[in-house]
Amino acid sequence: MAKNVAGIPIRRVSAEFSGDDAVDLEIIEVSLGLSRITRSKSERDTKLMQVALAALRKVIEQYRSESGERYPEFGDFAAWIGINTDGVPTMDEHHHASSDVAELQNNVEKTEGQDAVA
């Protein structure tokens, strides 16, 4: 349960990403331009979580309408969205990550070029 400060629920989320997940996170941040609209890492992380939660709510609603399950089990839901929960990457995950690294590098170069001009 979230703690309350002055009647407002507060929930701190902390996560550490490594490997392909860390690269995917960087790609998402660059794609959304979060570094251009935020002043700090904390603010960037907050905006990223706001977007992630909104997207997750939409995907859960889609899963509910397709499956008829009001409260999906984590494993079933994760499999439905294509996450392999046993820790062994699938062929698609390997391909996805390697192509995303090149995309991230291209986006970072474009962003750095824009910053240098501005």
Coordinates of all heavy atoms in Angstrom, one line a residue, residues 84-90 93:
N84 N 9.1 -13.5 -22.0 CA 9.5 -14.8 -21.5 C 9.9 -14.7 -20.1 O 11.0 -14.1 -19.8 CB 10.6 -15.3 -22.4 CG 11.0 -16.7 -22.1 OD1 10.6 -17.3 -21.1 ND2 11.8 -17.3 -23.0
T85 N 9.1 -15.2 -19.2 CA 9.4 -15.0 -17.7 C 10.4 -16.0 -17.1 O 10.7 -15.9 -16.0 CB 8.1 -15.0 -16.9 OG1 7.4 -16.3 -17.2 CG2 7.2 -13.9 -17.3
D86 N 10.8 -17.0 -17.9 CA 11.8 -18.0 -17.4 C 13.2 -17.5 -17.4 O 14.1 -18.2 -17.1 CB 11.6 -19.3 -18.0 CG 11.9 -19.4 -19.5 OD1 12.5 -18.4 -20.0 OD2 11.7 -20.4 -20.1
G87 N 13.4 -16.3 -18.0 CA 14.8 -15.7 -18.0 C 15.6 -16.1 -19.2 O 16.7 -15.6 -19.4
V88 N 15.1 -17.0 -20.0 CA 15.9 -17.4 -21.2 C 15.4 -16.6 -22.4 O 14.2 -16.7 -22.7 CB 15.7 -18.9 -21.5 CG1 16.5 -19.3 -22.7 CG2 16.2 -19.7 -20.3
P89 N 16.2 -15.7 -23.0 CA 15.7 -14.9 -24.1 C 15.3 -15.8 -25.3 O 15.9 -16.8 -25.6 CB 16.9 -14.1 -24.5 CG 17.9 -14.2 -23.4 CD 17.6 -15.5 -22.7
T90 N 14.2 -15.3 -25.9 CA 13.8 -16.0 -27.1 C 14.5 -15.5 -28.3 O 15.2 -14.5 -28.2 CB 12.2 -15.8 -27.3 OG1 12.1 -14.4 -27.6 CG2 11.4 -16.2 -26.2
E93 N 13.7 -11.9 -29.0 CA 14.3 -10.9 -28.1 C 15.7 -10.6 -28.5 O 16.2 -9.5 -28.4 CB 14.2 -11.4 -26.7 CG 12.8 -11.4 -26.1 CD 12.7 -12.1 -24.8 OE1 13.6 -12.7 -24.3 OE2 11.6 -12.1 -24.2

